[in-house]
Amino acid sequence: MTKTNAGRFFEDYSIGQVIRHAVPRTVKMGERALYHALYPARHALYSSDQFAQDCGLPFSPLDDMIAFHVVFGKTVPDVSLNAVANLGYAEGRWIKPVWPGDTLRSESEVIGVKQNSNGKTGVVWVRTRGLNQHDELVLEYVRWVMVRKRDVDAPAPETVVPELNKVVPVGDLVIPKGLDFTKYDFDLAGEAHRWGDYEVGEKIDHVDGVTIEEAEHMMATRLWQNTAKVHFDASARPDGRRLIYGGHVISMARALSFNGLANAQMIVGLNGGAHANPCFSGDTVRAWSEVLDKAETDGPGVGAVRLRLVAVKEGGSFDLKGDDGKYLPHVLLDLDYWALMPV
């Protein structure tokens, strides 16, 4: 009798199915220290208790992407262990800050299924919720993955494709309790640019680049307890190369965006995203951003800015897609998110 987990295949999913993911994870300051060692992360709100307290918070929360990675990692054995590709994200919201000492767990509901025309794979949509030790919602998002079938002769399920918002409405964004940017210290934050200094349509080259290392990527992926075979096992892909976890690219690009967006302090909404092309060890990641929208919020001194964050493995241009509408080969990531910034 086999006791190991072979993961779910496409025919194992059904609409309305709720999956409670193992294993809860308590996150502490060591998580931040390692995160900041892996990425050039230096947004002030996530670096300094004093800075966070001056912004109305009790102390510095853990980085927003730490929460995302931990919650995401829990889902891999049940959602994407047998995935061909992680296709996209939508309707992501950070609801409550994650504090050192919090214990996070994840659960997902299947909200869509569609078998592909080749009969060998299908697409599964799940809405994932991250909860803390008080069963409070800290994070939620939708993602969809292409998953292999166990039996190609298994009948196709009835197609259900969920209708998803292309943008999280500003009114649905959650401003952390107490957050107040009216006494924001721009010198300590690292840049003088505030909400009013950015124009919709403006593009920002973040200039710096970081070459991805195999060891650092695998350390990060283990940290998030992401068990996807393609990230560790060189025999899991026909080309014999380990695929860099897409979240590693997200965090690298987010950290690089400090140069030009040092005051985009907190990510509070994930509108959409695509891992456009695979990333491998030896690729040098650079990033640029485009300002897509701006909005006022009810938070004192707090504005929201909608940003497109693009990670590329070559620099020098803002080109994203070709004439055929497909991503250009050098584009690794196209991420659409809301961040909070002092007005």
Side-chain angles (χ1 to χ4, degrees):
M1 179 179 179
T2 301
K3 292 184 171 62
T4 54
N5 176 25
R8 286 173 167 82
F9 292 85
F10 178 69
E11 56 264 48
D12 297 325
Y13 298 95
S14 58
I15 297 298
Q17 178 183 14
V18 175
I19 305 168
R20 299 178 70 229
H21 306 293
V23 173
R25 175 80 177 270
T26 301
V27 289
K28 297 186 178 181
M29 289 301 293
E31 202 95 14
R32 170 184 291 160
L34 189 49
Y35 185 87
H36 285 208
L38 290 166
Y39 310 105
R42 49 197 168 121
H43 285 86
L45 201 70
Y46 297 114
S47 299
S48 164
D49 283 345
Q50 184 64 58
F51 190 94
Q53 288 163 358
D54 290 343
C55 292
L57 301 180
F59 45 88
S60 180
L62 295 183
D63 297 64
D64 35 49
M65 290 311 301
I66 290 178
F68 176 82
H69 290 313
V70 172
V71 170
F72 183 100
K74 304 289 96 189
T75 72
V76 170
D78 298 310
V79 175
S80 50
L81 196 64
N82 295 308
V84 178
N86 189 38
L87 298 177
Y89 307 97
E91 295 187 356
R93 295 191 306 151
W94 279 255
I95 310 298
K96 296 179 77 69
V98 174
W99 308 103
D102 278 353
T103 297
L104 302 181
R105 63 179 180 86
S106 305
E107 61 182 36
S108 298
E109 179 183 358
V110 179
I111 61 172
V113 290
K114 179 180 183 294
Q115 181 166 303
N116 291 328
S117 57
N118 63 11
K120 298 178 180 178
T121 60
V123 179
V124 179
W125 285 260
V126 297
R127 186 180 301 278
T128 295
R129 305 168 74 236
L131 303 120
N132 64 18
Q133 67 274 23
H134 306 297
D135 288 332
E136 297 169 328
L137 184 64
V138 299
L139 170 67
E140 66 176 0
Y141 62 90
V142 172
R143 75 164 169 139
W144 49 104
V145 296
M146 187 187 302
V147 183
R148 296 179 179 87
K149 291 185 71 175
R150 179 189 292 106
D151 177 6
V152 295
D153 294 324
E158 180 182 353
T159 295
V160 176
V161 177
E163 293 186 12
L164 301 170
N165 289 323
K166 292 184 177 180
V167 180
V168 178
V170 174
D172 289 347
L173 301 177
V174 179
I175 311 302
K177 182 180 179 180
L179 187 68
D180 184 342
F181 282 160
T182 56
K183 298 179 181 179
Y184 190 91
D185 191 323
F186 288 89
D187 291 334
L188 293 182
E191 288 181 348
H193 314 304
R194 62 179 71 218
W195 184 83
D197 296 325
Y198 293 89
E199 299 288 338
V200 173
E202 179 181 1
K203 293 181 178 179
I204 304 160
D205 184 352
H206 300 305
V207 179
D208 296 325
V210 174
T211 302
I212 299 294
E213 300 290 345
E214 194 86 83
E216 291 177 354
H217 142 69
M218 287 192 291
M219 184 183 297
T221 311
R222 289 192 186 102
L223 177 64
W224 319 127
Q225 298 177 328
N226 181 332
T227 58
K229 299 177 180 67
V230 292
H231 302 318
F232 300 104
D233 184 350
S235 69
R237 287 173 49 90
D239 60 7
R241 306 173 75 186
R242 283 180 285 229
L243 184 68
I244 301 299
Y245 165 45
H248 192 65
V249 178
I250 292 175
S251 277
M252 191 64 73
R254 159 68 172 164
L256 290 171
S257 74
F258 178 90
N259 187 2
L261 287 169
N263 297 315
Q265 289 288 350
M266 305 187 81
I267 296 178
V268 290
L270 179 58
N271 301 307
H275 298 289
N277 287 288
C279 180
F280 298 102
S281 174
D283 288 344
T284 296
V285 174
R286 303 182 187 277
W288 57 268
S289 292
E290 179 182 2
V291 180
L292 299 178
D293 199 0
K294 297 166 59 179
E296 298 177 349
T297 79
D298 293 334
V302 179
V305 58
R306 181 184 167 200
L307 298 163
R308 160 177 268 164
L309 175 62
V310 178
V312 299
K313 55 182 175 182
E314 298 171 14
S317 76
F318 294 117
D319 295 331
L320 187 65
K321 296 181 179 180
D323 294 337
D324 58 1
K326 296 181 179 179
Y327 286 105
L328 296 171
H330 68 283
V331 177
L332 299 172
L333 172 73
D334 182 8
L335 198 73
D336 180 340
Y337 70 99
W338 285 105
L340 301 181
M341 178 181 287
V343 299

